[in-house]
Amino acid sequence: MPAVIIGRSKRVLTMNEPARQVLGHDASGSHYTAILRQPQVTDAIESTLADQTGRQENLSLRDGGSDELWRLDIAPLSGEPSAGILIVFEDLSSAEGLGQMRRDFVANVSHELRTPLTALTGFIETLQGPASEDKAAAQRFLAMMDTEAQRMNRLVQDLLSLSRVESEERVRPDERVDLAEIVREAAQTLSRMFEQANTELQLKLPDGPVWINGDRDQITQVLHNLLENAVKYGAGAVTVSMTLPEREAALRGPAVLLDIRDNGEGIEAHHLPRLTERFYRIDAHRSRSQGGTGLGLAIVKHVVSRHRGRFRVSSVPGEGSVFTVVLPRLPDAAT
Ligand code: ADP
C-alpha cells in the first residue's frame, strides 16, 4: 500500500516503493507539493499539520489514458512536538475499491429510504384496517404520510443534485454572476423559514456587485443548504458576511469569502473533517427529525470544488459555527 511521511518542515521524509510508483518519483527531501499538488489535498495536509486531526481526502491522478482515484488517509504521527504526518493511499479505482464504495452507498441510500417507507406502509395498513371508518384519525395519518413522502422526495432530489454536480465537476462554470445578488435572493426566498424558526438573519454585504464565474442554480443551492443548516442547528441568529481580498493565497488571486455564521451549539473538532462526507451526521436522529438528508454539505463541497473554490468550517463548541465558501472573484476591471 503506498505511504508517504511528511515532516513538520513540510518536506517528504520518506516514501515507500508503491508510493514512488503511484506518484512517479522519489521526492524524499523535497517539499511535499513536488508530489501532491491538488488543492483539496494540500488543504487537508496543511490542516492536519496545523490541528493534528486526521482526515481523509480523495486524489485523482491520470496514469496514461486512465483516471485513477485514491483515498488518502492523512494521520498525525504522535510525538512531542509533532513528528509530522503519515499518508496512506487506498486504491478506489481498483475493482475492489469501487465495489466497496458502491456497496456502502447503496446500503446508505437503502437505509435512508427504508425508514419513511416502513412508516408509510404502516399508515396504509392502519387506514385499510382499524382506522378505515375514523375520519379524524385518517386525516391525521394522511398528514403524517405527507411528511414521510416529502422526506423521500427530498432524499431523491438531493441524490439527483449530487450526481449532477459530480458529473459536471470538471466543467468550469462560465456564466458571469453577481454573488451579492444571489445571496440577497436566497435570503428573500428563505425569509418565511427564518420567520417560522424565529431566527434573525443579518446580511453584511458590499453595496456593489461581486462578480464571479458561477452556476447560478448551484450557488443558490449552496446558500440554501448552508442557511437551512444555520437555522436548524443554530439558536436564533444567523449572519452572512462577505470579504473581498485582492489576493487569497489558496486561490492565488482575488477572491470572495462568504461567511455563514450561526450561534448554535457548534461542532466538536473531531467531526469537522468528516462533515462533507455523504450521510455523515453528528446526531442522525436529530438530523432526520428536522428533515435532513445528510447530503447537504456533500453537495456544497462538490459545487464549491467545481467552482475551483474552497470550503472551510470552523466552530467553537457552545458558541456556534462558521461555514466559509471561498470563490475566485473576477477583477473589478472586468465589470
Ligand atoms: P443534514 O441533512 O443532516 O443537515 P448536512 O450534510 O447538511 O446534512 O450536514 C451534516 C451534519 O453536519 C448535520 O447532520 C449536523 O450534524 C452537522 N451540521 C451541519 N450544519 C451545522 C451547523 N450549522 N451547526 C452544527 N452542526 C451542523
Side-chain angles (χ1 to χ4, degrees), residues 4 11 17 29 38 99 144 176 178 190 211 218 279 293:
V4 175
R11 289 183 185 280
E17 183 52 34
Q38 287 193 2
M144 293 193 265
R176 208 164 76 103
D178 174 1
L190 297 176
W211 297 108
Q218 289 184 351
F279 299 115
T293 59

Side-chain angles (χ1 to χ4, degrees), residues 24-67:
H25 65 283
D26 188 342
S28 300
S30 310
H31 194 276
Y32 74 82
T33 48
I35 41 170
L36 294 166
R37 268 182 297 265
Q38 287 193 2
Q40 307 95 295
V41 174
T42 54
D43 278 4
I45 291 174
E46 293 296 330
S47 305
T48 296
L49 281 167
D51 67 10
Q52 295 290 299
T53 308
R55 26 173 76 65
Q56 290 190 330
E57 192 50 71
N58 287 347
L59 169 72
S60 46
L61 295 173
R62 277 191 83 75
D63 178 27
S66 64
D67 285 332

Side-chain angles (χ1 to χ4, degrees), residues 169-172 251 303-310 326 328:
E169 199 151 348
R170 285 167 190 243
V171 189
R172 211 184 264 242
L251 301 188
V303 170
V304 173
S305 144
R306 182 183 171 217
H307 284 75
R308 308 295 189 268
R310 299 287 187 282
V326 186

Side-chain angles (χ1 to χ4, degrees), residues 65-87:
S66 64
D67 285 332
E68 288 182 0
L69 184 63
W70 296 89
R71 174 173 298 153
L72 308 192
D73 201 348
I74 305 170
L77 291 170
S78 54
E80 269 310 320
S82 139
I85 56 175
L86 167 68
I87 307 179

Side-chain angles (χ1 to χ4, degrees), residues 14 74 77 82 99 154 165 216 223 233 296 332:
T14 183
I74 305 170
L77 291 170
S82 139
R154 267 196 307 274
V165 212
R216 181 180 291 274
L223 282 157
Y233 305 106
D332 290 339

Side-chain angles (χ1 to χ4, degrees), residues 60-287:
S60 46
L61 295 173
R62 277 191 83 75
D63 178 27
S66 64
D67 285 332
E68 288 182 0
L69 184 63
W70 296 89
R71 174 173 298 153
L72 308 192
D73 201 348
I74 305 170
L77 291 170
S78 54
E80 269 310 320
S82 139
I85 56 175
L86 167 68
I87 307 179
V88 177
F89 293 56
E90 185 191 347
D91 189 355
L92 294 183
S93 36
S94 70
E96 200 186 322
L98 275 179
Q100 187 56 42
M101 235 176 25
R102 221 170 271 146
R103 279 194 295 279
D104 288 350
F105 186 63
V106 171
N108 274 326
V109 172
S110 314
H111 178 76
E112 295 297 328
L113 281 171
R114 198 165 52 205
T115 318
L117 207 51
T118 308
L120 277 174
T121 318
F123 289 133
I124 291 169
E125 277 171 15
T126 317
L127 283 173
Q128 284 171 331
S132 58
E133 303 299 327
D134 184 342
K135 271 214 142 102
Q139 284 307 319
R140 229 177 35 247
F141 286 133
L142 283 169
M144 293 193 265
M145 290 168 76
D146 186 37
T147 308
E148 297 302 332
Q150 284 180 25
R151 173 193 301 284
M152 290 173 72
N153 193 22
R154 267 196 307 274
L155 182 64
V156 172
Q157 292 295 344
D158 278 358
L159 285 168
L160 286 174
S161 302
L162 195 56
S163 89
R164 206 173 308 129
V165 212
E166 275 186 326
S167 68
E168 292 175 343
E169 199 151 348
R170 285 167 190 243
V171 189
R172 211 184 264 242
D174 59 2
E175 189 192 346
R176 208 164 76 103
V177 296
D178 174 1
L179 183 63
E181 180 195 297
I182 299 180
V183 173
R184 287 195 190 91
E185 275 173 15
Q188 183 64 37
T189 312
L190 297 176
S191 57
R192 254 185 78 78
M193 175 188 77
F194 276 90
E195 258 167 51
Q196 282 170 349
N198 221 345
T199 294
E200 194 198 340
L201 173 63
Q202 239 194 3
L203 297 185
K204 294 185 184 165
L205 305 177
D207 291 333
V210 176
W211 297 108
I212 59 166
N213 269 333
D215 180 314
R216 181 180 291 274
D217 290 344
Q218 289 184 351
I219 298 284
T220 300
Q221 183 162 22
V222 162
L223 282 157
H224 281 211
N225 291 0
L226 294 176
L227 289 171
E228 280 165 12
N229 281 352
V231 167
K232 279 194 289 190
Y233 305 106
V238 175
T239 312
V240 178
S241 57
M242 256 188 210
T243 39
L244 307 174
E246 282 311 318
R247 197 185 144 78
E248 156 75 22
L251 301 188
R252 303 209 180 109
V256 43
L257 270 67
L258 179 69
D259 280 336
I260 289 108
R261 181 183 299 269
D262 67 60
N263 62 338
E265 72 225 50
I267 304 162
E268 285 180 54
H270 67 275
H271 291 298
L272 292 179
R274 301 199 57 192
L275 287 186
T276 57
E277 284 174 25
R278 299 156 183 205
F279 299 115
Y280 187 85
R281 295 145 153 150
I282 297 167
D283 178 343
H285 179 73
R286 169 152 178 221
S287 156

